[in-house]
Amino acid sequence: MKLLLRMLLRLPVLLAALGVAVYLMSSDAAADTAPDELRELLERAEADGAADTREWQNLLQYRERRFLPGRRSGTRDPAFFLADEGWRDPQAEIRATLRAFFQDPASVPEDEQHPQCRFPARRAWLLERLGADVSWLPEVDCPRFQEWYQGIDPHEVTLVFAAAYLGNPASMYGHTLLRVDPPEQDDDSRLLSYVINHAAATDETSGFVFAVRGLTGGYAGMFSIMPYYEKVREYNSLESRDLWEYRLNLEPHEVEQLMRHTWELRGTGFPYYFLYQNCSYRLLELLDVARPGMNLADQFSWWAIPTDTVRTVLAEEDMLREVVYRPAERTRLDHQIDMLSPELLDLTLALAEGERDPGSVNDEINQQDRALVLETAYDYLNFRQKSGDGEQDQRERMRELLVARSQVTGVDGADAPDRPETRPDEGHGTLRLGLGGGERGGDAFASLHWRPAYHDGLDPAEGYIPGAHISYGDVEIRFDDGRDRLELERLMFVDIESLNPRDRLFPSWSWNIRGGAEQRLRPAGGRSLMAGVDGGGGGTWQAGDTPLWAYAGLQASAWGSERLDGGVRALAGPRLDLRWQGSRVRGHLRGEGFWSTDASAPGWRVGVEQALIASRNASLRLGVSREQDFGIHETSVQAVLYGYF
């Protein structure tokens, strides 16, 4: 009985040993019957340690794991591997790949591709690495790959950055893509080039569901190829996003390998996260394949903000060839409007609204102004139409404006806006650390601040969109001298504010939303950590061309804590802001009033905060506030020195 029990306990070991023996025998048998060239390539790959090189593992999309030792591929898609364990065993994958390259072409079904055609980047790298040439491999025709490659005709690569777009959770930090230009292109013909884009594969229309699934890896990320003009129309025209084009100094053979690898990745699904393994991160992996040794993707382990990835690419020596700015249609239109005097703006609006006949302004103003007014009225109507808020009879009015403009001869079209002095990649770093101190309720405190991304209204403004505040994971930890302990003052998972100054042509609305936990006044006195959400909307106005903005709107919020009566409390009330949007001095004065559902007396809060910008990556922030809630009054003063990395 004991003998039988020992045999049963050893059965798994015996089966495993038997499996290894069968595998080795089958491998040896296969190698024995393989062509001499295949045996030689297998031996060279083994002796060279090719499977352990970064170049081979980059081709398999291997990266260091964040919580466990070792490297694994970023995809588990079985179609991307030729060995069952190829996603975690680069040695098995290199053997399987070499063997597959010797597959008889006649045995490949018509609707499938020969492995040499399916993986041209691996083929090129292995032949070069192992000192072989194409004559070693069976001769294979790859018409699909050749047609695709010749249709794109790659010559050089441009990294394109689309500015942040608050209307889409996936694009709040901006977006990057790679444009592949054929030879002898100019700025206009480059619209016909193709772009390599990586994005979440979804038709989801709910912004909330899209945001939640995008943050938690609920979508598959896919590569796609499309004409550049489609993306320019989407970004420049429909979403009013400026485009920055960074022409990269890649060698022809590097561009060639990048395109081969792009072909291999078509149809391969990757986990997609808005903040980490996103569009920008995957493009870095492509560039790592094109030019081995840069290891760009390795520099992003927890989050990958598009502007940070652009900085990382451009930090490579002699990588940047040229920068081209492609302003959005709204940027061009705003520039034209800025050129109009108040009287000409009145006339432009009258033409756009159909209150004036385009032909009636012929003798009223000079030719230069007439051309500008007619162009601006037409561009305004055209922009509204593309934005979906045009009127039904607008087309005829637009035609009349075009006819009238064609009769103003000898006058050039409106100038394009100048390129901003600071590019997005030249703005402050997105990681912010701060050290501060102050006093609240008579007790002194010291504070430590950490925010992984991205920008708020008092940070250095150069390189960022005016009025856009996008912050994730903002943390403040305090040591409170009165309580004699360390405590979490604030953890805001998300904090977004979009301020759009209203004018006569664009009466836009402003909005804000934030959610997380923060220390708030409680009924019994003192403060407790409460979790909740806060949001609102209203209007923003700019005082002429000055950096003074004013905001007025309504706020509503809900906060929960065991220290509250009933555990939950909802509040609503007005909010007024005055903001100074200077380049070196920025600040805001804010007043809020609110009524709550717990029948406590109305509360209010007023505060002023000022930022002194020392440099692109350093600022000092000073703030003082006073608030009243639950009949308790409290004053707070704080100073924080911020650094941006």
Side-chain angles (χ1 to χ4, degrees), residues 383-400:
F383 182 85
R384 285 182 52 181
Q385 188 175 54
K386 289 180 178 177
S387 302
D389 62 349
E391 300 171 1
Q392 293 294 326
D393 60 346
Q394 189 168 289
R395 291 182 180 277
E396 178 59 22
R397 207 178 311 153
M398 292 170 65
R399 190 192 67 78
E400 293 173 355

Side-chain angles (χ1 to χ4, degrees), residues 440-457:
R440 184 171 63 192
D443 295 326
F445 64 85
S447 59
L448 182 65
H449 304 249
W450 179 78
R451 187 198 65 192
Y454 156 80
H455 175 78
D456 72 26

Side-chain angles (χ1 to χ4, degrees), residues 158-217:
T158 295
L159 177 62
V160 180
F161 174 77
Y165 176 55
L166 297 183
N168 184 342
S171 299
M172 286 186 174
Y173 298 119
H175 180 73
T176 57
L177 46 88
L178 290 177
R179 192 186 68 211
V180 185
D181 295 322
E184 300 178 358
Q185 292 287 291
D186 56 33
D187 287 344
D188 293 328
S189 59
R190 287 192 181 97
L191 290 173
L192 301 176
S193 299
Y194 285 86
V195 295
I196 303 170
N197 189 51
H198 182 81
T202 175
D203 295 325
E204 180 60 60
T205 57
S206 167
F208 177 76
V209 174
F210 189 57
V212 171
R213 293 189 64 183
L215 287 169
T216 56

Side-chain angles (χ1 to χ4, degrees), residues 22-55:
V22 170
Y23 172 77
L24 293 175
M25 290 173 64
S26 61
S27 298
D28 290 343
D32 288 343
T33 59
D36 292 341
E37 292 86 353
L38 174 56
R39 285 200 296 272
E40 178 64 21
L41 288 173
L42 288 170
E43 290 173 5
R44 290 188 185 186
E46 183 76 23
D48 179 67
D52 298 326
T53 63
R54 291 299 300 270
E55 291 90 339

Side-chain angles (χ1 to χ4, degrees), residues 361-523:
V361 296
N362 286 346
D363 301 327
E364 232 176 284
I365 53 179
N366 62 49
Q367 277 201 326
Q368 191 76 41
D369 288 344
R370 197 185 314 155
L372 178 60
V373 164
L374 292 169
E375 282 181 31
T376 304
Y378 172 83
D379 291 342
Y380 172 61
L381 292 178
N382 188 42
F383 182 85
R384 285 182 52 181
Q385 188 175 54
K386 289 180 178 177
S387 302
D389 62 349
E391 300 171 1
Q392 293 294 326
D393 60 346
Q394 189 168 289
R395 291 182 180 277
E396 178 59 22
R397 207 178 311 153
M398 292 170 65
R399 190 192 67 78
E400 293 173 355
L401 287 166
L402 279 181
V403 170
R405 173 62 182 89
S406 68
Q407 294 170 350
V408 184
T409 58
V411 179
D412 294 333
D415 295 335
D418 293 334
R419 195 177 94 171
E421 293 182 1
T422 306
R423 306 190 311 244
D425 59 289
E426 295 174 330
H428 66 75
T430 56
L431 170 64
R432 187 181 73 184
L433 296 175
L435 186 62
E439 183 180 283
R440 184 171 63 192
D443 295 326
F445 64 85
S447 59
L448 182 65
H449 304 249
W450 179 78
R451 187 198 65 192
Y454 156 80
H455 175 78
D456 72 26
L458 296 185
D459 287 333
E462 284 81 2
Y464 289 83
I465 299 175
H469 168 138
I470 310 171
S471 174
Y472 275 86
D474 190 11
V475 178
E476 179 181 351
I477 297 174
R478 289 186 179 183
F479 179 79
D480 190 299
D481 191 47
R483 296 186 178 187
D484 193 24
R485 70 185 186 194
L486 198 66
E487 60 186 16
L488 177 64
E489 170 65 19
R490 180 180 65 256
L491 169 57
M492 280 297 151
F493 296 110
V494 60
D495 185 356
I496 302 171
E497 185 168 48
S498 175
L499 296 179
N500 300 295
R502 298 169 65 88
D503 56 37
R504 297 171 61 188
L505 276 72
F506 297 102
S508 307
W509 293 103
S510 301
W511 57 272
N512 63 83
I513 187 169
R514 66 187 186 117
E518 65 181 12
Q519 296 282 347
R520 299 178 68 88
L521 287 171
R522 62 192 183 203

Side-chain angles (χ1 to χ4, degrees), residues 62 77 163 224 345-346 368 377 411 421 480 516 572 640:
Y62 272 49
D77 192 332
S224 58
L345 180 59
D346 290 341
Q368 191 76 41
V411 179
E421 293 182 1
D480 190 299
V640 184

Side-chain angles (χ1 to χ4, degrees), residues 17-140:
L18 179 61
V20 171
V22 170
Y23 172 77
L24 293 175
M25 290 173 64
S26 61
S27 298
D28 290 343
D32 288 343
T33 59
D36 292 341
E37 292 86 353
L38 174 56
R39 285 200 296 272
E40 178 64 21
L41 288 173
L42 288 170
E43 290 173 5
R44 290 188 185 186
E46 183 76 23
D48 179 67
D52 298 326
T53 63
R54 291 299 300 270
E55 291 90 339
W56 174 249
Q57 295 187 8
N58 283 344
L59 287 168
L60 303 182
Q61 297 289 309
Y62 272 49
R63 291 292 173 266
E64 294 287 345
R65 292 193 291 180
R66 288 189 289 178
F67 300 106
L68 295 172
R71 296 169 62 81
R72 298 286 186 272
S73 177
T75 179
R76 301 289 188 272
D77 192 332
F80 188 66
F81 301 101
L82 294 165
D84 291 341
E85 300 294 316
W87 59 276
R88 65 177 182 179
D89 187 347
Q91 186 69 39
E93 186 64 17
I94 205 169
R95 288 176 184 154
T97 301
L98 287 171
R99 289 194 178 97
F101 284 171
F102 282 83
Q103 182 179 350
D104 181 2
S107 67
V108 179
E110 287 187 5
D111 58 344
E112 296 182 10
Q113 298 183 76
H114 190 280
Q116 290 191 48
C117 305
R118 174 69 181 86
F119 298 104
R122 297 188 194 182
R123 175 178 179 267
W125 184 82
L126 283 168
L127 290 177
E128 181 180 356
R129 178 78 187 188
L130 303 180
D133 61 48
V134 70
S135 65
W136 289 37
L137 303 177
E139 186 175 348
V140 176

